[in-house]
Amino acid sequence: MTENSMPPADHLANPPQPALRLHRELTRVWSNAPGIRGVFTAVNHSTIGLRFMCTALIFFGIGGLLAMLIRTQLATRKGAFLDTEIYNQIFTMHGSIMMFLFAIPMLEGLAMYLLPKMLGTRDMAFPRLSAFGYWCYLFGGLILIGALLMGVAPRDGWFMYTPLSGSTYSPGINADVWLLGVTFVEISALAAAVEITVTILRMRAPGMKLTQMPLFAWYILGAAVMMLAGFPPLILGSVLLEIERAFGWPFFDPERGGDPLLWQHLFWLFGHPEVYIIFLPAAGILSTVIPVLSRTRILGYGAIVASILGLVFLSFGLWVHHMFAVGIPHMALAFFSAASLLVAVPTAVQVFAWIGTMWKGRPQLKLPMLYILGFFFTFVMGGLTGVMLAIVPFNWQAHDTAFVTAHLHYVLIGGFVFPMMAGLAYWLPMISGRRRIKGLGELAFWTILVGFHGTFFIMHLTGLVGMPRRIDVYPDHPEWEMLNLVSSVFSFVMTFGFALFALDCILQAWLGKHARRDPWKAPTLDWAMALPPPAYNFASLPRPDMTGSEYAGGAEVALTLARGEGVLPGAPRGHREVLVTGIGHASPQHVAILPANTALPIQFAASIGVFVLMMLFGLYYVALAALLPVLWFAWRWARALVPAGSVPPVEIAPGLQLPTHYDSAATLTGSGLACFLFANGTFFASLIFGLAFITLVSPGPAPPPLEGQAAVSAMLIAGGLLAAALASLVPGRALKEVSEAGSPLRLIAFGLAANLAALAALAGLAIWQLGDPRVHAQTAVRAALLGYVALQLFITAIFAAFALDQARRGELAAGHLGALRHWNLWQGYTLAIGAISAAVIWAQVLSQ
Amino acid sequence: MKGRGLLWLGLVALGPAIWAAAFTLVYALHGAGCAAGWAGIDAGPVSLHRLLMLLGWLAGITAGGWLLLRLPAGKDRETWLPRAGALIGLFATLFTLVPVLFASSC
């Protein structure tokens, strides 16, 4: 079936079945394992999404407690509550927890929980990856919290500027905890971004066109793509700084040709888009809840999608506005100042669309709407101070003062926390299956609102009278004391409000009366199911006549689907089956059989955790050995996807059969790999940026002359490229061979050998020609580039080895192409980045 | 979007992508030019540095304008969104890079 060949809706209808029988059949297949086993083996999106959200809220509580300690310390000018060392750790951990352990995981959890329900499917595209991401998040978060409890938490601010975070000024493991812990956590962000992207593009219910899907999905798609592009620079920066701290490669050391500004560039290349990564899902909640509670449709669907598009791109052109005070030439300042002003336009378009929606509808002042009004009041003020900070002269005046702290809290609490609480109030009846207890939520809202503005509005003034951020005492500035005291008092009011909110949620889940179906009368698919939702979401999947607009769903649809009258009813084959559809029109393409409950995700994440801990404790050789279990679990992960035998096509409606993903070309795995390669490419581009920056812009001493002989270097580079080029011919030819029923064993073995030969050439280049990477930043960044190419070659060799194993087992046949297609993709990427790296290194050498 | 979902998505993103490419190009030329001293080399009424950045900017405007002219007009979302993307890209290119006309370069 091609992308555009959509069968008529009545051809996709199945005869009605007893709803209870279908429910039992599906529950048996889709439920988590019972008891403690279920804790470690669950992969279901509702479970994992809830785990993400609950864990994020616990971390939010911890971060909030740290904020209270900060405010207690600052309430008086000679505060003796905390000493400077502990204060530094606390404000660093407050920011890091709120950003990396609360905001991002919270949005990931909400997206994982809601997306399949909104899109009319039964799970995310890669359930094991969801679970793996959760365990990485939990283990990474525990490393950070454990360090805090032991008094060795990071203390250099949540953006970890060098040289303060370098080994000279931050000896000990404090900074390493941040670099390794946060990077571990970010694995989960990348995993979530890949599967969110693939789920939205490939798993929408039949007929749900991209231009008709719920706006929430557009927002989450935008955020996921931004995560794919935004997190790699941070991961690169963290890796480089950890290498500098552990092995002395001087990427950021100006005395050896490095530049601390490179860290700032890499950090803010992530850090500013991060603000929009957090804001977009929150705006998605607003665009979903506002029309429902205004009893109307959203105004300007197309304009909002265009605004999301604008934000996704423009937010990557603003990062330098965090660096206006570092001495950047006027023209560069002007570029980024202009982009910072421009980004207010798409945000304003959305704000006007939301106001217009409320204007044309009949808004109901229910609890979610209160939080939405709180959002408007707060976020607009935060946006306006953002426009002030985009103006360079004002920025210089307010730089590093409490004004900036106030601005960022207005944007983040206004733009993320208020909408998220609106969302929780809106979806909690779905999640808990219970109604809320009236009155408590309203009291919590007003307490939070008053407490927040009392704390942070005053903080603008504190900043304008000159108080720098991150100081623990101010004995010589009595004029700041009253302002700080007022902020501190109101901050406790705000905390009390958040405690009330938490109590409201707990009481609702515990004592609330059972909620009726679709309590908001929402016209979307997420409410077209029983409350709380069953593990499988839909007994049968929605048909095109149920998804023809962004307003699908309703009670009629819920009953029809529960009786199995949609597509792919029940689970008669005992598998977790979902429908994979085309990107544009969502026409059915094949049936994917998703993996069932498994402990592999926690085992895989734990093996990475051991590696991270070994690195943290400086046991580098042991860390190297700890990579072996990581490889073992990665291999098992892939092996678990290989079918035991042939899998027959699946009848999704009477007379309409579709192949399973084992016999299909455009699989979810292929799409996921393409997304991952996009993130990988961003990582590579950031590394090239780092090399260019250190070569062209960094001040400091000239690099030492090259140690090796140019002719030998050229031969090794040419040899490595030739081997990689030969290897890149293999997967395609092997695919052809398999399709023609031939045996590709020797061909694949040649491909593996060619990749290993390319790896050997790189090793030769590193050992004999490169020079000591500890001597100068240019040598170090060159070595980092070679290391990156070597890693890609190594992964390519693993692909080849896997394909070889499949060929040896006789698992490759026409229609069953195993790992060959994915190897082909990775091999092509590796050849491309190898060629670019060779050219770049050559240009760098010539520039010397 | 008919039958070509990924292509349509690419078309929607093409306008802003042109801005991103032009912005990156001009910023890279700015950094490279300051490092290599192009600001001190005359190229007619302006320096070589400014000339190169101006050319980068004009290339972005030309590409964005060309895209906008090539895309069909229409009110349905599938036709409208690629044009909206092209407009966003073109306006962003014009606005964010206009400092090449007047700001001091290094």
Side-chain angles (χ1 to χ4, degrees), chain A residues 397-448:
Chain A
Q397 295 301 315
H399 177 76
D400 223 5
T401 68
F403 185 93
V404 177
T405 315
H407 158 72
L408 77 91
H409 281 89
Y410 263 78
V411 173
L412 292 178
I413 293 187
F416 182 74
V417 177
F418 276 114
M420 201 51 81
M421 287 194 292
L424 283 177
Y426 179 78
W427 278 295
L428 212 52
M430 174 195 287
I431 294 168
S432 67
R434 291 172 186 273
R435 298 180 210 181
R436 73 182 191 86
I437 293 155
K438 284 185 181 169
L440 198 53
E442 283 79 358
L443 180 64
F445 165 74
W446 287 109
T447 315
I448 293 169

Short mmCIF file of all heavy atoms in Angstrom, two decimals, chain A residues 397-448:
data_model
loop_
_atom_site.label_atom_id
_atom_site.label_comp_id
_atom_site.label_asym_id
_atom_site.label_seq_id
_atom_site.Cartn_x
_atom_site.Cartn_y
_atom_site.Cartn_z
N GLN A 397 23.77 46.30 31.28
CA GLN A 397 23.49 46.84 32.61
C GLN A 397 22.94 45.77 33.56
O GLN A 397 23.29 45.73 34.74
CB GLN A 397 22.45 47.98 32.51
CG GLN A 397 22.93 49.20 31.75
CD GLN A 397 24.16 49.83 32.38
OE1 GLN A 397 24.23 49.99 33.58
NE2 GLN A 397 25.15 50.17 31.56
N ALA A 398 22.08 44.92 33.02
CA ALA A 398 21.40 43.95 33.89
C ALA A 398 22.15 42.62 33.98
O ALA A 398 21.75 41.73 34.73
CB ALA A 398 19.99 43.70 33.38
N HIS A 399 23.23 42.49 33.20
CA HIS A 399 23.92 41.21 33.11
C HIS A 399 24.32 40.67 34.49
O HIS A 399 24.87 41.40 35.31
CB HIS A 399 25.18 41.38 32.24
CG HIS A 399 26.00 40.13 32.16
ND1 HIS A 399 25.63 39.06 31.38
CD2 HIS A 399 27.15 39.77 32.77
CE1 HIS A 399 26.53 38.10 31.51
NE2 HIS A 399 27.46 38.50 32.34
N ASP A 400 24.04 39.39 34.71
CA ASP A 400 24.48 38.70 35.93
C ASP A 400 23.89 39.30 37.20
O ASP A 400 24.47 39.17 38.28
CB ASP A 400 26.01 38.71 36.02
CG ASP A 400 26.53 37.35 36.46
OD1 ASP A 400 25.71 36.42 36.59
OD2 ASP A 400 27.74 37.21 36.69
N THR A 401 22.76 39.97 37.09
CA THR A 401 22.10 40.49 38.29
C THR A 401 20.84 39.67 38.58
O THR A 401 20.43 38.83 37.78
CB THR A 401 21.66 41.96 38.12
OG1 THR A 401 20.61 42.00 37.14
CG2 THR A 401 22.81 42.84 37.66
N ALA A 402 20.24 39.99 39.72
CA ALA A 402 19.00 39.30 40.10
C ALA A 402 17.87 39.58 39.10
O ALA A 402 16.88 38.84 39.06
CB ALA A 402 18.58 39.72 41.50
N PHE A 403 18.00 40.64 38.26
CA PHE A 403 17.00 40.91 37.24
C PHE A 403 16.88 39.71 36.29
O PHE A 403 15.78 39.31 35.91
CB PHE A 403 17.38 42.18 36.46
CG PHE A 403 16.33 42.61 35.47
CD1 PHE A 403 15.35 43.54 35.82
CD2 PHE A 403 16.31 42.12 34.17
CE1 PHE A 403 14.38 43.94 34.91
CE2 PHE A 403 15.35 42.51 33.26
CZ PHE A 403 14.38 43.43 33.63
N VAL A 404 18.03 39.16 35.92
CA VAL A 404 18.03 38.02 35.00
C VAL A 404 17.40 36.80 35.69
O VAL A 404 16.63 36.05 35.08
CB VAL A 404 19.47 37.70 34.52
CG1 VAL A 404 19.49 36.47 33.63
CG2 VAL A 404 20.04 38.89 33.77
N THR A 405 17.70 36.63 36.98
CA THR A 405 17.09 35.52 37.73
C THR A 405 15.57 35.67 37.73
O THR A 405 14.83 34.71 37.52
CB THR A 405 17.60 35.51 39.18
OG1 THR A 405 19.01 35.70 39.17
CG2 THR A 405 17.27 34.21 39.88
N ALA A 406 15.10 36.90 37.96
CA ALA A 406 13.66 37.15 37.97
C ALA A 406 13.06 36.86 36.59
O ALA A 406 12.04 36.18 36.47
CB ALA A 406 13.39 38.59 38.37
N HIS A 407 13.73 37.36 35.53
CA HIS A 407 13.23 37.15 34.16
C HIS A 407 13.10 35.66 33.86
O HIS A 407 12.06 35.21 33.36
CB HIS A 407 14.17 37.82 33.15
CG HIS A 407 14.07 37.25 31.78
ND1 HIS A 407 12.98 37.47 30.96
CD2 HIS A 407 14.90 36.43 31.08
CE1 HIS A 407 13.15 36.82 29.82
NE2 HIS A 407 14.30 36.17 29.87
N LEU A 408 14.15 34.90 34.17
CA LEU A 408 14.10 33.48 33.77
C LEU A 408 13.03 32.72 34.56
O LEU A 408 12.40 31.80 34.04
CB LEU A 408 15.48 32.83 33.86
CG LEU A 408 16.07 32.40 35.19
CD1 LEU A 408 15.70 30.97 35.51
CD2 LEU A 408 17.60 32.50 35.12
N HIS A 409 12.79 33.15 35.82
CA HIS A 409 11.72 32.47 36.57
C HIS A 409 10.34 32.86 36.03
O HIS A 409 9.42 32.03 36.03
CB HIS A 409 11.84 32.78 38.06
CG HIS A 409 12.90 31.95 38.74
ND1 HIS A 409 14.22 32.32 38.82
CD2 HIS A 409 12.83 30.73 39.32
CE1 HIS A 409 14.92 31.39 39.44
NE2 HIS A 409 14.11 30.41 39.76
N TYR A 410 10.19 34.10 35.58
CA TYR A 410 8.91 34.49 34.97
C TYR A 410 8.66 33.67 33.70
O TYR A 410 7.53 33.25 33.43
CB TYR A 410 8.91 35.99 34.63
CG TYR A 410 8.23 36.82 35.70
CD1 TYR A 410 8.89 37.13 36.89
CD2 TYR A 410 6.92 37.27 35.55
CE1 TYR A 410 8.27 37.87 37.87
CE2 TYR A 410 6.30 38.01 36.54
CZ TYR A 410 6.97 38.30 37.70
OH TYR A 410 6.36 39.02 38.69
N VAL A 411 9.73 33.47 32.92
CA VAL A 411 9.55 32.73 31.66
C VAL A 411 9.32 31.24 31.95
O VAL A 411 8.43 30.62 31.37
CB VAL A 411 10.79 32.93 30.77
CG1 VAL A 411 10.70 32.03 29.55
CG2 VAL A 411 10.89 34.37 30.33
N LEU A 412 10.12 30.69 32.86
CA LEU A 412 10.05 29.24 33.05
C LEU A 412 8.86 28.82 33.91
O LEU A 412 8.19 27.84 33.60
CB LEU A 412 11.36 28.72 33.65
CG LEU A 412 12.56 28.82 32.70
CD1 LEU A 412 13.83 28.35 33.37
CD2 LEU A 412 12.33 28.02 31.43
N ILE A 413 8.61 29.55 34.98
CA ILE A 413 7.43 29.18 35.79
C ILE A 413 6.16 29.64 35.07
O ILE A 413 5.18 28.90 34.99
CB ILE A 413 7.54 29.78 37.21
CG1 ILE A 413 8.71 29.10 37.93
CG2 ILE A 413 6.24 29.58 37.99
CD1 ILE A 413 8.87 29.43 39.38
N GLY A 414 6.23 30.86 34.49
CA GLY A 414 5.06 31.33 33.74
C GLY A 414 4.82 30.49 32.50
O GLY A 414 3.69 30.11 32.20
N GLY A 415 5.88 30.20 31.77
CA GLY A 415 5.73 29.54 30.47
C GLY A 415 5.72 28.03 30.54
O GLY A 415 5.36 27.37 29.57
N PHE A 416 6.13 27.44 31.65
CA PHE A 416 6.14 25.98 31.73
C PHE A 416 5.33 25.46 32.92
O PHE A 416 4.46 24.60 32.75
CB PHE A 416 7.58 25.47 31.83
CG PHE A 416 7.66 23.96 31.87
CD1 PHE A 416 7.43 23.23 30.73
CD2 PHE A 416 7.95 23.28 33.04
CE1 PHE A 416 7.47 21.83 30.75
CE2 PHE A 416 7.99 21.89 33.08
CZ PHE A 416 7.76 21.17 31.93
N VAL A 417 5.60 26.01 34.12
CA VAL A 417 4.98 25.42 35.32
C VAL A 417 3.47 25.69 35.35
O VAL A 417 2.68 24.77 35.60
CB VAL A 417 5.69 25.91 36.59
CG1 VAL A 417 5.00 25.35 37.83
CG2 VAL A 417 7.15 25.48 36.59
N PHE A 418 3.07 26.93 35.07
CA PHE A 418 1.62 27.22 35.09
C PHE A 418 0.87 26.38 34.03
O PHE A 418 -0.14 25.75 34.36
CB PHE A 418 1.35 28.72 34.90
CG PHE A 418 1.43 29.50 36.19
CD1 PHE A 418 2.42 30.44 36.41
CD2 PHE A 418 0.51 29.30 37.21
CE1 PHE A 418 2.50 31.15 37.60
CE2 PHE A 418 0.56 30.00 38.40
CZ PHE A 418 1.57 30.94 38.61
N PRO A 419 1.33 26.37 32.76
CA PRO A 419 0.63 25.51 31.81
C PRO A 419 0.66 24.04 32.19
O PRO A 419 -0.32 23.31 31.98
CB PRO A 419 1.39 25.74 30.49
CG PRO A 419 2.04 27.05 30.66
CD PRO A 419 2.37 27.18 32.11
N MET A 420 1.78 23.60 32.77
CA MET A 420 1.87 22.19 33.15
C MET A 420 0.85 21.89 34.26
O MET A 420 0.23 20.82 34.26
CB MET A 420 3.30 21.91 33.62
CG MET A 420 3.71 20.46 33.57
SD MET A 420 3.43 19.61 32.01
CE MET A 420 4.82 20.12 31.04
N MET A 421 0.67 22.83 35.19
CA MET A 421 -0.33 22.61 36.24
C MET A 421 -1.74 22.66 35.65
O MET A 421 -2.63 21.91 36.09
CB MET A 421 -0.14 23.62 37.37
CG MET A 421 1.10 23.31 38.19
SD MET A 421 1.20 24.19 39.76
CE MET A 421 1.44 25.83 39.21
N ALA A 422 -1.93 23.53 34.64
CA ALA A 422 -3.23 23.53 33.94
C ALA A 422 -3.46 22.15 33.31
O ALA A 422 -4.55 21.59 33.39
CB ALA A 422 -3.25 24.62 32.87
N GLY A 423 -2.41 21.63 32.71
CA GLY A 423 -2.50 20.31 32.07
C GLY A 423 -2.78 19.21 33.08
O GLY A 423 -3.60 18.32 32.84
N LEU A 424 -2.09 19.26 34.23
CA LEU A 424 -2.31 18.23 35.24
C LEU A 424 -3.75 18.30 35.76
O LEU A 424 -4.40 17.27 35.95
CB LEU A 424 -1.31 18.39 36.38
CG LEU A 424 0.11 17.89 36.10
CD1 LEU A 424 1.04 18.18 37.28
CD2 LEU A 424 0.12 16.40 35.79
N ALA A 425 -4.22 19.53 36.00
CA ALA A 425 -5.59 19.68 36.48
C ALA A 425 -6.58 19.15 35.43
O ALA A 425 -7.62 18.58 35.78
CB ALA A 425 -5.88 21.14 36.80
N TYR A 426 -6.22 19.32 34.15
CA TYR A 426 -7.11 18.90 33.06
C TYR A 426 -7.08 17.39 32.87
O TYR A 426 -8.14 16.76 32.67
CB TYR A 426 -6.65 19.62 31.79
CG TYR A 426 -7.42 19.31 30.53
CD1 TYR A 426 -8.67 19.87 30.30
CD2 TYR A 426 -6.89 18.46 29.57
CE1 TYR A 426 -9.37 19.59 29.14
CE2 TYR A 426 -7.58 18.18 28.40
CZ TYR A 426 -8.81 18.75 28.18
OH TYR A 426 -9.51 18.48 27.03
N TRP A 427 -5.88 16.79 32.91
CA TRP A 427 -5.77 15.36 32.59
C TRP A 427 -5.77 14.46 33.82
O TRP A 427 -5.76 13.25 33.69
CB TRP A 427 -4.53 15.09 31.73
CG TRP A 427 -4.75 15.37 30.28
CD1 TRP A 427 -5.60 14.71 29.44
CD2 TRP A 427 -4.13 16.40 29.49
NE1 TRP A 427 -5.55 15.25 28.17
CE2 TRP A 427 -4.65 16.29 28.16
CE3 TRP A 427 -3.19 17.37 29.74
CZ2 TRP A 427 -4.26 17.12 27.13
CZ3 TRP A 427 -2.78 18.20 28.70
CH2 TRP A 427 -3.33 18.09 27.42
N LEU A 428 -5.73 15.03 35.02
CA LEU A 428 -5.69 14.17 36.21
C LEU A 428 -6.91 13.26 36.33
O LEU A 428 -6.78 12.10 36.75
CB LEU A 428 -5.49 15.01 37.48
CG LEU A 428 -4.71 14.31 38.59
CD1 LEU A 428 -3.40 13.75 38.09
CD2 LEU A 428 -4.47 15.25 39.76
N PRO A 429 -8.13 13.74 35.95
CA PRO A 429 -9.26 12.80 35.97
C PRO A 429 -9.03 11.60 35.05
O PRO A 429 -9.50 10.49 35.34
CB PRO A 429 -10.44 13.65 35.46
CG PRO A 429 -10.05 15.05 35.78
CD PRO A 429 -8.57 15.11 35.64
N MET A 430 -8.28 11.81 33.96
CA MET A 430 -7.97 10.69 33.08
C MET A 430 -6.95 9.76 33.75
O MET A 430 -7.12 8.55 33.79
CB MET A 430 -7.41 11.19 31.75
CG MET A 430 -6.93 10.08 30.81
SD MET A 430 -5.90 10.70 29.48
CE MET A 430 -7.12 11.51 28.49
N ILE A 431 -5.89 10.37 34.28
CA ILE A 431 -4.80 9.58 34.83
C ILE A 431 -5.27 8.78 36.06
O ILE A 431 -4.99 7.60 36.19
CB ILE A 431 -3.62 10.51 35.21
CG1 ILE A 431 -3.03 11.13 33.93
CG2 ILE A 431 -2.54 9.75 35.97
CD1 ILE A 431 -2.06 12.27 34.20
N SER A 432 -6.02 9.45 36.93
CA SER A 432 -6.42 8.79 38.18
C SER A 432 -7.77 8.09 38.06
O SER A 432 -8.10 7.22 38.86
CB SER A 432 -6.49 9.83 39.30
OG SER A 432 -7.55 10.73 39.05
N GLY A 433 -8.55 8.53 37.07
CA GLY A 433 -9.90 7.98 36.96
C GLY A 433 -10.83 8.55 38.02
O GLY A 433 -11.91 8.01 38.26
N ARG A 434 -10.41 9.64 38.66
CA ARG A 434 -11.21 10.19 39.77
C ARG A 434 -11.41 11.69 39.62
O ARG A 434 -10.61 12.36 38.96
CB ARG A 434 -10.52 9.89 41.10
CG ARG A 434 -10.54 8.41 41.43
CD ARG A 434 -9.71 8.08 42.63
NE ARG A 434 -9.64 6.64 42.84
CZ ARG A 434 -10.54 5.95 43.53
NH1 ARG A 434 -11.57 6.57 44.08
NH2 ARG A 434 -10.42 4.65 43.68
N ARG A 435 -12.48 12.17 40.28
CA ARG A 435 -12.74 13.61 40.26
C ARG A 435 -11.94 14.32 41.35
O ARG A 435 -11.61 13.70 42.36
CB ARG A 435 -14.22 13.88 40.53
CG ARG A 435 -15.13 13.30 39.49
CD ARG A 435 -16.56 13.65 39.86
NE ARG A 435 -17.46 12.58 39.39
CZ ARG A 435 -18.75 12.61 39.54
NH1 ARG A 435 -19.32 13.62 40.17
NH2 ARG A 435 -19.51 11.65 39.09
N ARG A 436 -11.71 15.58 41.14
CA ARG A 436 -10.93 16.30 42.16
C ARG A 436 -11.83 16.80 43.29
O ARG A 436 -13.06 16.85 43.14
CB ARG A 436 -10.17 17.45 41.52
CG ARG A 436 -10.97 18.62 41.12
CD ARG A 436 -10.08 19.65 40.47
NE ARG A 436 -10.82 20.89 40.31
CZ ARG A 436 -10.90 21.81 41.25
NH1 ARG A 436 -10.28 21.64 42.41
NH2 ARG A 436 -11.61 22.89 41.05
N ILE A 437 -11.17 17.13 44.38
CA ILE A 437 -11.91 17.64 45.54
C ILE A 437 -11.97 19.15 45.40
O ILE A 437 -10.93 19.81 45.33
CB ILE A 437 -11.19 17.20 46.83
CG1 ILE A 437 -11.31 15.68 46.95
CG2 ILE A 437 -11.77 17.91 48.04
CD1 ILE A 437 -10.25 15.04 47.74
N LYS A 438 -13.18 19.70 45.35
CA LYS A 438 -13.33 21.10 45.01
C LYS A 438 -12.77 22.02 46.08
O LYS A 438 -12.86 21.72 47.28
CB LYS A 438 -14.81 21.42 44.76
CG LYS A 438 -15.27 20.90 43.41
CD LYS A 438 -16.66 21.29 43.10
CE LYS A 438 -17.05 20.69 41.73
NZ LYS A 438 -18.45 20.82 41.46
N GLY A 439 -12.22 23.14 45.66
CA GLY A 439 -11.78 24.16 46.60
C GLY A 439 -10.29 24.18 46.86
O GLY A 439 -9.64 25.23 46.82
N LEU A 440 -9.72 22.99 47.05
CA LEU A 440 -8.31 22.91 47.40
C LEU A 440 -7.43 23.40 46.24
O LEU A 440 -6.44 24.12 46.45
CB LEU A 440 -7.96 21.46 47.77
CG LEU A 440 -6.68 21.25 48.56
CD1 LEU A 440 -6.65 22.11 49.80
CD2 LEU A 440 -6.54 19.78 48.94
N GLY A 441 -7.79 22.99 45.03
CA GLY A 441 -7.01 23.40 43.86
C GLY A 441 -7.02 24.91 43.66
O GLY A 441 -5.99 25.51 43.34
N GLU A 442 -8.18 25.52 43.86
CA GLU A 442 -8.29 26.98 43.70
C GLU A 442 -7.41 27.69 44.74
O GLU A 442 -6.71 28.65 44.43
CB GLU A 442 -9.75 27.44 43.86
CG GLU A 442 -10.63 27.17 42.66
CD GLU A 442 -11.11 25.72 42.58
OE1 GLU A 442 -10.72 24.91 43.44
OE2 GLU A 442 -11.85 25.40 41.63
N LEU A 443 -7.47 27.18 45.98
CA LEU A 443 -6.65 27.78 47.05
C LEU A 443 -5.16 27.66 46.70
O LEU A 443 -4.38 28.61 46.86
CB LEU A 443 -6.95 27.07 48.38
CG LEU A 443 -6.17 27.57 49.59
CD1 LEU A 443 -6.54 29.03 49.89
CD2 LEU A 443 -6.43 26.70 50.82
N ALA A 444 -4.78 26.49 46.19
CA ALA A 444 -3.38 26.29 45.79
C ALA A 444 -2.99 27.29 44.71
O ALA A 444 -1.90 27.91 44.76
CB ALA A 444 -3.19 24.86 45.29
N PHE A 445 -3.88 27.46 43.72
CA PHE A 445 -3.56 28.38 42.61
C PHE A 445 -3.30 29.79 43.13
O PHE A 445 -2.28 30.41 42.80
CB PHE A 445 -4.71 28.41 41.59
CG PHE A 445 -4.60 29.57 40.64
CD1 PHE A 445 -3.67 29.56 39.63
CD2 PHE A 445 -5.42 30.70 40.79
CE1 PHE A 445 -3.54 30.65 38.77
CE2 PHE A 445 -5.29 31.78 39.94
CZ PHE A 445 -4.36 31.76 38.93
N TRP A 446 -4.21 30.32 43.93
CA TRP A 446 -4.06 31.71 44.37
C TRP A 446 -2.82 31.86 45.26
O TRP A 446 -2.11 32.87 45.19
CB TRP A 446 -5.32 32.19 45.10
CG TRP A 446 -6.46 32.43 44.13
CD1 TRP A 446 -7.60 31.68 44.00
CD2 TRP A 446 -6.53 33.45 43.13
NE1 TRP A 446 -8.38 32.18 42.99
CE2 TRP A 446 -7.75 33.28 42.43
CE3 TRP A 446 -5.68 34.49 42.75
CZ2 TRP A 446 -8.15 34.10 41.39
CZ3 TRP A 446 -6.08 35.33 41.71
CH2 TRP A 446 -7.30 35.12 41.05
N THR A 447 -2.55 30.85 46.07
CA THR A 447 -1.36 30.92 46.94
C THR A 447 -0.09 30.94 46.09
O THR A 447 0.83 31.72 46.34
CB THR A 447 -1.35 29.71 47.90
OG1 THR A 447 -2.65 29.52 48.43
CG2 THR A 447 -0.37 29.91 49.02
N ILE A 448 -0.06 30.08 45.07
CA ILE A 448 1.13 30.04 44.20
C ILE A 448 1.29 31.37 43.46
O ILE A 448 2.39 31.93 43.39
CB ILE A 448 1.03 28.86 43.18
CG1 ILE A 448 1.11 27.53 43.92
CG2 ILE A 448 2.12 28.96 42.13
CD1 ILE A 448 0.74 26.33 43.06
#
